[in-house]
Amino acid sequence: MDLNSRNRKELVDILKNSGIDSPEVLNAIGKVKRELFVPPELKNYAYNNTSLPISSHQTISQPFTVAFMTQLLEINPGDRVLEIGTGSGYQSAVLKELGAEVFSVERIYELITKAADTLSNAGYEVHLRHDDGTKGWPEEAPFDKIIVTAGSPKIPKQLLGQLATGGKLVIPLGDEISQDVVLIKKEFDEIQEKNKTGANSYSEESIKYKMKRYKNFKFVPLIGEEGWNI
Ligand code: SAM
């Protein structure tokens, strides 16, 4: 076993001991070569459980955070997943290892071009778009799952609108200093559901959102129309 494979295995053990218990997510993290997604001078730190700087003052997220948010989404093979904040491309690669079809949007051109090269050299086919991700990707909606990997003051309405009913969205919500990871499930209201006359007879009002919060994360800001106006 080479050094990177050993380090990857150790990282999976650290995540397991930190409460990540989805075998699928642990398996995916155990497969993605994180050293390909960090700058060359930081390769020795690729398997530390920390975020690391990439270019354009952005970061590749801490492996625990990637695993935690991915686990909340409960990805099924074939799910159409929208990621906002491609960054290095690492999170996209983890989603691909879980069998998802991945659509990822990044606002910084330098990062999206670099991520496109990294992902394709590593054999991951991901649909990429250079744009303000707070607007989502309307032409490809609806999505079964949406993951936002930058911290926002609010939930972008356009993302909620592009989430399939029965779908899940995870997003860090808070101020510039710290955020909570919020999981939103888009469901039909059970009482209204009893009144249905046909499979697609639900009204907008019968859709409800269940929210759950997980404390204390630190992300770079989501900058855009429905994020921070910096
Ligand atoms: N998921 C990335 C990875 O695996 O490397 C880490 C992402 S980094 C923590 C957050 C990213 O969100 C940055 O690359 C940043 O440029 C991007 N970002 C911020 N606001 C955005 C927006 N409105 N639309 C798309 N990307 C945005």
Side-chain angles (χ1 to χ4, degrees):
M1 195 188 276
D2 67 27
L3 184 61
N4 280 323
S5 312
R6 207 162 53 234
N7 289 344
R8 205 151 45 240
K9 198 175 167 307
E10 277 172 21
L11 174 61
V12 168
D13 288 339
I14 289 168
L15 297 180
K16 232 188 255 178
N17 292 333
S18 315
I20 303 298
D21 56 10
S22 157
E24 293 82 11
V25 171
L26 291 167
N27 182 49
I29 298 268
K31 282 192 175 159
V32 179
K33 296 178 173 160
R34 195 170 186 251
E35 73 272 17
L36 303 178
F37 295 85
V38 303
E41 66 278 15
L42 296 178
K43 283 197 188 308
N44 288 346
Y45 306 97
Y47 292 102
N48 287 9
N49 187 21
T50 54
S51 62
L52 291 170
I54 50 176
S55 47
S56 308
H57 308 291
Q58 301 303 318
T59 54
I60 175 171
S61 302
Q62 182 188 16
F64 173 78
T65 306
V66 172
F68 183 76
M69 292 177 84
T70 307
Q71 178 166 287
L72 287 178
L73 286 176
E74 299 180 293
I75 304 289
N76 297 310
D79 273 356
R80 290 166 58 83
V81 181
L82 175 66
E83 176 192 20
I84 307 305
T86 315
S88 68
Y90 178 74
Q91 171 76 69
S92 293
V94 171
L95 292 166
K96 285 298 293 180
E97 289 290 355
L98 286 160
E101 181 168 14
V102 182
F103 299 81
S104 187
V105 186
E106 170 58 55
R107 64 179 278 273
I108 299 177
Y109 183 73
E110 184 196 351
L111 292 180
I112 193 108
T113 48
K114 177 96 193 345
D117 282 350
T118 311
L119 285 163
S120 107
N121 291 339
Y124 297 109
E125 198 184 306
V126 174
H127 310 283
L128 297 172
R129 174 174 175 138
H130 175 227
D131 205 347
D132 168 9
T134 66
K135 299 183 291 182
W137 194 328
E139 300 83 356
E140 294 292 347
F143 298 97
D144 302 301
K145 312 282 160 67
I146 299 180
I147 178 168
V148 182
T149 67
S152 180
K154 60 184 180 213
I155 302 164
K157 282 206 182 64
Q158 297 179 75
L159 295 186
L160 279 183
Q162 291 173 30
L163 187 62
T165 304
K168 298 190 176 90
L169 181 156
V170 280
I171 181 168
L173 281 187
D175 57 25
E176 296 99 321
I177 313 287
S178 82
Q179 302 86 31
D180 298 340
V181 165
V182 174
L183 169 67
I184 295 143
K185 294 185 192 175
K186 187 172 182 175
E187 296 176 345
F188 289 124
D189 189 294
E190 284 155 33
I191 298 161
Q192 297 259 356
E193 199 175 346
K194 286 188 188 135
N195 299 332
K196 71 179 189 219
T197 53
N200 295 316
S201 65
Y202 302 96
S203 66
E204 259 304 306
E205 299 78 57
S206 70
I207 289 173
K208 66 176 180 183
Y209 295 96
K210 273 194 195 160
M211 276 175 76
K212 201 162 178 187
R213 282 181 177 268
Y214 302 85
K215 294 269 170 214
N216 294 327
F217 291 82
K218 170 80 187 129
F219 286 80
V220 295
L222 182 75
I223 299 170
E225 199 174 282
E226 288 200 63
W228 293 101
N229 299 312
I230 299 173

